[in-house]
Amino acid sequence: MATSLQHLDSYDASNFIDISAKRFGLVVADWNRTLTEVLSNGAYETLLKHGAVAENIFRNTVPGTFELTLGAQLLAQHDEIDAVICLGVVIRGDTKHDDYINHAVAQGLTTVGLKFNKPVIFGVVTTNTLEQAQDRAGGKLGNKGTEAAVAAIQMLGF
Ligand code: DLZ
């Protein structure tokens, strides 16, 4: 389903597990920082809202979305980390850079999750325009960071 048909802040928390003892890694891309900070805040606040403890949320910043994979691996390798939430914004430009970044990171994060057998969440906004990205970073379609945090909580319940 397209994001334009589903608000990113809309979810059912009734089956959420107790996450008060869970430890989360947040990896945030610095590229498009104004927007990724909104995603990071959305993820952070969502984790706290559902019972996570601030001291159990560890944030690392990486230069761009492409680096989310290594950032995720460096956190996921620690037994103490239960889930990693990766946040970035990739906006299509004049070249195909977005395709390369998006595919590499989607594949990379999948690999890290399977390697360490823990949730590694793809919280990357991938759009054609800045406006579409703003809509998904706390705008009219909600916050991708919130959605990513919810996905992490849900996967921990598996
Ligand atoms: C180089 C680049 C470009 C053109 N666009 C974006 C983008 O829209 N979003 C993003 O997060 N990062 C972008 N980057 C940076 C790459 O992700 C990466 O940091 C650099 O290519 C260095 O490896």
PDB file of all heavy atoms in Angstrom, residues 29 31-32 63-67 89-91 97 101, ligand 1:
ATOM      1  N   ALA A  29      20.970   9.095   9.569  1.00  0.00           N
ATOM      2  CA  ALA A  29      21.787   9.707   8.508  1.00  0.00           C
ATOM      3  C   ALA A  29      21.794  11.227   8.665  1.00  0.00           C
ATOM      4  O   ALA A  29      20.763  11.846   8.941  1.00  0.00           O
ATOM      5  CB  ALA A  29      21.227   9.322   7.137  1.00  0.00           C
ATOM      6  N   TRP A  31      22.706  13.319   6.223  1.00  0.00           N
ATOM      7  CA  TRP A  31      22.262  13.931   4.957  1.00  0.00           C
ATOM      8  C   TRP A  31      20.764  14.249   5.087  1.00  0.00           C
ATOM      9  O   TRP A  31      20.017  13.436   5.642  1.00  0.00           O
ATOM     10  CB  TRP A  31      22.494  12.941   3.818  1.00  0.00           C
ATOM     11  CG  TRP A  31      22.455  13.555   2.444  1.00  0.00           C
ATOM     12  CD1 TRP A  31      21.347  13.885   1.741  1.00  0.00           C
ATOM     13  CD2 TRP A  31      23.563  13.889   1.609  1.00  0.00           C
ATOM     14  NE1 TRP A  31      21.678  14.402   0.523  1.00  0.00           N
ATOM     15  CE2 TRP A  31      23.042  14.422   0.414  1.00  0.00           C
ATOM     16  CE3 TRP A  31      24.958  13.787   1.755  1.00  0.00           C
ATOM     17  CZ2 TRP A  31      23.851  14.845  -0.647  1.00  0.00           C
ATOM     18  CZ3 TRP A  31      25.756  14.216   0.710  1.00  0.00           C
ATOM     19  CH2 TRP A  31      25.200  14.736  -0.466  1.00  0.00           C
ATOM     20  N   ASN A  32      20.349  15.408   4.624  1.00  0.00           N
ATOM     21  CA  ASN A  32      18.959  15.872   4.825  1.00  0.00           C
ATOM     22  C   ASN A  32      18.625  15.928   6.320  1.00  0.00           C
ATOM     23  O   ASN A  32      17.553  15.492   6.762  1.00  0.00           O
ATOM     24  CB  ASN A  32      17.951  14.961   4.097  1.00  0.00           C
ATOM     25  CG  ASN A  32      18.077  15.052   2.596  1.00  0.00           C
ATOM     26  OD1 ASN A  32      18.201  16.141   2.044  1.00  0.00           O
ATOM     27  ND2 ASN A  32      18.063  13.919   1.923  1.00  0.00           N
ATOM     28  N   PRO A  63      27.150   9.572   8.069  1.00  0.00           N
ATOM     29  CA  PRO A  63      27.120  10.680   7.104  1.00  0.00           C
ATOM     30  C   PRO A  63      25.870  10.695   6.216  1.00  0.00           C
ATOM     31  O   PRO A  63      25.230  11.734   6.041  1.00  0.00           O
ATOM     32  CB  PRO A  63      28.383  10.461   6.266  1.00  0.00           C
ATOM     33  CG  PRO A  63      29.292   9.678   7.147  1.00  0.00           C
ATOM     34  CD  PRO A  63      28.405   8.802   7.977  1.00  0.00           C
ATOM     35  N   GLY A  64      25.540   9.558   5.632  1.00  0.00           N
ATOM     36  CA  GLY A  64      24.383   9.515   4.732  1.00  0.00           C
ATOM     37  C   GLY A  64      23.686   8.180   4.838  1.00  0.00           C
ATOM     38  O   GLY A  64      24.143   7.261   5.542  1.00  0.00           O
ATOM     39  N   THR A  65      22.600   8.056   4.120  1.00  0.00           N
ATOM     40  CA  THR A  65      21.814   6.815   4.166  1.00  0.00           C
ATOM     41  C   THR A  65      22.654   5.609   3.763  1.00  0.00           C
ATOM     42  O   THR A  65      22.475   4.515   4.298  1.00  0.00           O
ATOM     43  CB  THR A  65      20.574   6.970   3.268  1.00  0.00           C
ATOM     44  OG1 THR A  65      19.727   7.973   3.852  1.00  0.00           O
ATOM     45  CG2 THR A  65      19.802   5.682   3.137  1.00  0.00           C
ATOM     46  N   PHE A  66      23.564   5.807   2.825  1.00  0.00           N
ATOM     47  CA  PHE A  66      24.402   4.688   2.384  1.00  0.00           C
ATOM     48  C   PHE A  66      25.152   4.052   3.554  1.00  0.00           C
ATOM     49  O   PHE A  66      25.381   2.839   3.568  1.00  0.00           O
ATOM     50  CB  PHE A  66      25.391   5.151   1.308  1.00  0.00           C
ATOM     51  CG  PHE A  66      26.193   4.027   0.716  1.00  0.00           C
ATOM     52  CD1 PHE A  66      25.638   3.191  -0.244  1.00  0.00           C
ATOM     53  CD2 PHE A  66      27.500   3.791   1.124  1.00  0.00           C
ATOM     54  CE1 PHE A  66      26.367   2.141  -0.782  1.00  0.00           C
ATOM     55  CE2 PHE A  66      28.242   2.743   0.597  1.00  0.00           C
ATOM     56  CZ  PHE A  66      27.672   1.926  -0.368  1.00  0.00           C
ATOM     57  N   GLU A  67      25.520   4.869   4.529  1.00  0.00           N
ATOM     58  CA  GLU A  67      26.307   4.377   5.665  1.00  0.00           C
ATOM     59  C   GLU A  67      25.434   3.743   6.760  1.00  0.00           C
ATOM     60  O   GLU A  67      25.957   3.261   7.772  1.00  0.00           O
ATOM     61  CB  GLU A  67      27.139   5.513   6.270  1.00  0.00           C
ATOM     62  CG  GLU A  67      28.378   5.877   5.466  1.00  0.00           C
ATOM     63  CD  GLU A  67      28.080   6.656   4.192  1.00  0.00           C
ATOM     64  OE1 GLU A  67      27.127   7.459   4.201  1.00  0.00           O
ATOM     65  OE2 GLU A  67      28.780   6.440   3.186  1.00  0.00           O
ATOM     66  N   VAL A  89      16.783   9.891   4.722  1.00  0.00           N
ATOM     67  CA  VAL A  89      15.909  10.497   3.710  1.00  0.00           C
ATOM     68  C   VAL A  89      16.694  10.562   2.405  1.00  0.00           C
ATOM     69  O   VAL A  89      17.753  11.199   2.347  1.00  0.00           O
ATOM     70  CB  VAL A  89      15.470  11.926   4.121  1.00  0.00           C
ATOM     71  CG1 VAL A  89      14.705  12.596   2.981  1.00  0.00           C
ATOM     72  CG2 VAL A  89      14.615  11.880   5.384  1.00  0.00           C
ATOM     73  N   VAL A  90      16.181   9.897   1.383  1.00  0.00           N
ATOM     74  CA  VAL A  90      16.815   9.931   0.069  1.00  0.00           C
ATOM     75  C   VAL A  90      15.824  10.536  -0.923  1.00  0.00           C
ATOM     76  O   VAL A  90      14.720  10.002  -1.108  1.00  0.00           O
ATOM     77  CB  VAL A  90      17.237   8.522  -0.402  1.00  0.00           C
ATOM     78  CG1 VAL A  90      17.892   8.604  -1.784  1.00  0.00           C
ATOM     79  CG2 VAL A  90      18.188   7.883   0.607  1.00  0.00           C
ATOM     80  N   ILE A  91      16.238  11.648  -1.520  1.00  0.00           N
ATOM     81  CA  ILE A  91      15.366  12.347  -2.465  1.00  0.00           C
ATOM     82  C   ILE A  91      15.962  12.228  -3.864  1.00  0.00           C
ATOM     83  O   ILE A  91      17.157  12.485  -4.052  1.00  0.00           O
ATOM     84  CB  ILE A  91      15.218  13.831  -2.062  1.00  0.00           C
ATOM     85  CG1 ILE A  91      14.638  13.919  -0.640  1.00  0.00           C
ATOM     86  CG2 ILE A  91      14.313  14.567  -3.056  1.00  0.00           C
ATOM     87  CD1 ILE A  91      14.675  15.309  -0.040  1.00  0.00           C
ATOM     88  N   HIS A  97      21.526   8.243  -8.377  1.00  0.00           N
ATOM     89  CA  HIS A  97      22.163   7.958  -7.090  1.00  0.00           C
ATOM     90  C   HIS A  97      21.174   7.360  -6.088  1.00  0.00           C
ATOM     91  O   HIS A  97      21.519   6.506  -5.282  1.00  0.00           O
ATOM     92  CB  HIS A  97      22.781   9.238  -6.500  1.00  0.00           C
ATOM     93  CG  HIS A  97      21.779  10.166  -5.897  1.00  0.00           C
ATOM     94  ND1 HIS A  97      21.113  11.129  -6.609  1.00  0.00           N
ATOM     95  CD2 HIS A  97      21.296  10.226  -4.619  1.00  0.00           C
ATOM     96  CE1 HIS A  97      20.281  11.770  -5.803  1.00  0.00           C
ATOM     97  NE2 HIS A  97      20.363  11.256  -4.613  1.00  0.00           N
ATOM     98  N   ILE A 101      21.668   3.998  -3.777  1.00  0.00           N
ATOM     99  CA  ILE A 101      21.651   4.066  -2.306  1.00  0.00           C
ATOM    100  C   ILE A 101      20.514   3.210  -1.753  1.00  0.00           C
ATOM    101  O   ILE A 101      20.710   2.386  -0.847  1.00  0.00           O
ATOM    102  CB  ILE A 101      21.502   5.528  -1.829  1.00  0.00           C
ATOM    103  CG1 ILE A 101      22.737   6.346  -2.218  1.00  0.00           C
ATOM    104  CG2 ILE A 101      21.278   5.583  -0.323  1.00  0.00           C
ATOM    105  CD1 ILE A 101      22.594   7.842  -1.955  1.00  0.00           C
TER     106      ILE A 101
HETATM  107  C1  DLZ B   1      25.703  11.501  -2.115  1.00  0.00           C
HETATM  108  C2  DLZ B   1      24.297  11.516  -1.615  1.00  0.00           C
HETATM  109  C3  DLZ B   1      23.262  12.042  -2.387  1.00  0.00           C
HETATM  110  C4  DLZ B   1      23.516  12.600  -3.749  1.00  0.00           C
HETATM  111  N1  DLZ B   1      22.007  12.086  -1.945  1.00  0.00           N
HETATM  112  C5  DLZ B   1      21.739  11.593  -0.704  1.00  0.00           C
HETATM  113  C6  DLZ B   1      20.401  11.601  -0.204  1.00  0.00           C
HETATM  114  O1  DLZ B   1      19.441  12.081  -0.831  1.00  0.00           O
HETATM  115  N2  DLZ B   1      20.205  11.095   1.039  1.00  0.00           N
HETATM  116  C7  DLZ B   1      21.207  10.569   1.811  1.00  0.00           C
HETATM  117  O2  DLZ B   1      20.958  10.125   2.927  1.00  0.00           O
HETATM  118  N3  DLZ B   1      22.475  10.540   1.336  1.00  0.00           N
HETATM  119  C8  DLZ B   1      22.748  11.047   0.122  1.00  0.00           C
HETATM  120  N4  DLZ B   1      24.042  11.025  -0.352  1.00  0.00           N
HETATM  121  C9  DLZ B   1      25.112  10.570   0.556  1.00  0.00           C
HETATM  122  C10 DLZ B   1      25.310   9.038   0.561  1.00  0.00           C
HETATM  123  O3  DLZ B   1      24.302   8.401   1.322  1.00  0.00           O
HETATM  124  C11 DLZ B   1      26.681   8.703   1.196  1.00  0.00           C
HETATM  125  O4  DLZ B   1      26.766   9.307   2.459  1.00  0.00           O
HETATM  126  C12 DLZ B   1      27.849   9.191   0.350  1.00  0.00           C
HETATM  127  O5  DLZ B   1      27.735   8.711  -0.967  1.00  0.00           O
HETATM  128  C13 DLZ B   1      29.194   8.729   0.944  1.00  0.00           C
HETATM  129  O6  DLZ B   1      29.258   7.304   0.921  1.00  0.00           O
END
